Amino acid sequence: MSRIKGLNLPVVTTSLIIACVVVFILDYVLPFGLWKYGAFIPALAVSEPYRYLTAMFFHSGEAHILGNMYALFLIGIPMERRLGRSKFLVFYLLCGIGGHTLILAWARLAGDSMWTATLGASGAIFGIFAAYAVDIRKNGGKATLILIVMGYNLVISFIPGLNISWQGHIGGLIAGAIIMALLVLRPVKQSKYKDALQWFLMVASCAILVTINFLLLMK
């Protein structure tokens, strides 16, 4: 049996898609509404902080999960190869947490209901799209197409009656763009400690997100 050298399978992207599909099926077949125990609800952020992560794996219907998984498949594979498996997974989760952070901020500061449940991988996916655009621009390319796709989906987020969390989308987008901009800074890219510096920046980003959420919850 021959070995294929240099094979870089998108293990994380594939695993995330499979996890979302499995959770969707379980939520569909179980009679008690599994999503209630995993959706992000600002009022439960302190007592049940795991919801910051679990909400990314729940979806509200067939169209919701199909759209998100197709987008994750398209953008996740190149970004996983760009960042590496471990960094991509952490980056993806940080973008999702960024989305939930803006949801919480809006609920606290703008008077939205603290009991409104949100779910879906959209925030994390928006963050990956934003990161892809930043990476293209940093490498001298044109990100026009990717920006059009993001802009179109953001506009849809504001259409009344669709019950789309625009806060989650924008929060994920902001987190993804900022973190990626830090990871591809010239001093970081050219350093012989590039890998360690990128991990430090991701850990620091996580600490900042935790601090922001702590301050919002203590308000």
Side-chain angles (χ1 to χ4, degrees):
M1 182 180 293
S2 61
R3 295 178 61 189
I4 302 176
K5 295 183 178 179
L7 189 63
N8 188 15
L9 297 175
V11 174
V12 175
T13 301
T14 304
S15 298
L16 288 170
I17 292 173
I18 291 173
C20 286
V21 171
V22 170
V23 170
F24 181 78
I25 293 172
L26 289 173
D27 188 38
Y28 183 81
V29 299
L30 294 175
F32 51 82
L34 188 61
W35 68 270
K36 298 174 185 176
Y37 303 94
F40 181 72
I41 301 174
L44 300 177
V46 174
S47 59
E48 300 175 6
Y50 61 84
R51 290 175 180 268
Y52 279 95
L53 298 178
T54 56
M56 302 180 210
F57 297 92
F58 286 87
H59 291 82
S60 60
E62 291 84 353
H64 191 198
I65 190 170
L66 285 173
N68 275 354
M69 294 306 99
Y70 179 66
L72 178 55
F73 175 78
L74 290 179
I75 200 68
I77 292 175
M79 283 306 297
E80 181 177 345
R81 288 173 177 161
R82 173 72 176 85
L83 293 173
R85 292 170 183 168
S86 298
K87 285 180 195 166
F88 174 72
L89 176 59
V90 174
F91 190 93
Y92 178 88
L93 296 175
L94 287 176
C95 291
I97 293 172
H100 294 141
T101 299
L102 188 55
I103 291 171
L104 174 62
W106 190 260
R108 293 291 287 176
L109 304 177
D112 264 18
S113 173
M114 290 287 286
W115 288 97
T116 299
T118 55
L119 60 164
S122 307
I125 293 170
F126 260 92
I128 300 300
F129 268 102
Y132 191 63
V134 168
D135 192 43
I136 290 175
R137 291 296 300 146
K138 279 289 185 178
N139 286 291
K142 293 184 178 181
T144 306
L145 180 59
I146 200 77
L147 291 174
I148 290 174
V149 172
M150 286 194 297
Y152 172 76
N153 282 280
L154 277 178
V155 170
I156 292 176
S157 302
F158 289 92
I159 296 177
L162 293 183
N163 293 321
I164 296 175
S165 174
W166 60 265
Q167 301 95 328
H169 290 177
I170 294 178
L173 187 155
I174 292 172
I178 292 175
I179 297 172
M180 191 63 187
L182 293 173
L183 297 183
V184 296
L185 284 171
R186 182 170 296 178
V188 176
K189 289 177 65 177
Q190 296 179 349
S191 173
K192 62 179 180 179
Y193 304 110
K194 173 185 172 182
D195 190 62
L197 284 172
Q198 287 184 332
W199 274 115
F200 171 78
L201 289 169
M202 293 180 77
V203 171
S205 298
C206 181
I208 291 171
L209 284 170
V210 170
T211 301
I212 292 172
N213 279 273
F214 176 80
L215 293 174
L216 287 169
L217 290 167
M218 294 301 105
K219 181 178 172 59

